[in-house]
Amino acid sequence: MGNAVIVTTQMPPDQARALRAAVRAQYLMSLNEHWYADEYRFVPADVRHELILERSPVMAAQKSLMAALSLSLKAVKQS
């Protein structure tokens, strides 16, 4: 990702956990909507998730944000 956008922020762990939970809830709702949409009905289940992410930049960003939050929370917990 040569021209990636880098976002840096600081927040207390309880806010990070709350944000992660909110983003996860939105992500799961979107995934459920896409999963059963006519557009993906005939896409095999083992590749459907990746195809949805390729076509939905918001969901791909949510997945990256959840991973970054989880990693940061893990680092704080270990220190």
Side-chain angles (χ1 to χ4, degrees):
M1 228 184 277
N3 62 347
V5 174
I6 298 170
V7 178
T8 304
T9 188
Q10 292 182 358
M11 65 185 77
D14 60 330
Q15 289 180 8
R17 283 189 289 275
L19 178 59
R20 182 180 60 181
V23 171
R24 185 174 190 270
Q26 291 173 338
Y27 180 85
L28 291 175
M29 285 185 352
S30 294
L31 181 60
N32 191 52
E33 288 176 18
H34 288 297
W35 192 268
Y36 296 105
D38 287 342
E39 180 180 359
Y40 300 103
R41 183 186 320 180
F42 299 109
V43 176
D46 59 333
V47 296
R48 193 178 304 177
H49 187 223
E50 282 302 315
L51 184 61
I52 291 169
L53 289 179
E54 285 176 20
R55 294 181 180 175
S56 177
V58 170
M59 288 183 63
Q62 288 171 326
K63 185 177 178 189
S64 295
L65 179 57
M66 288 185 294
L69 287 166
S70 294
L71 186 64
S72 294
L73 284 165
K74 187 176 182 180
V76 167
K77 188 176 182 180
Q78 290 178 354
S79 62

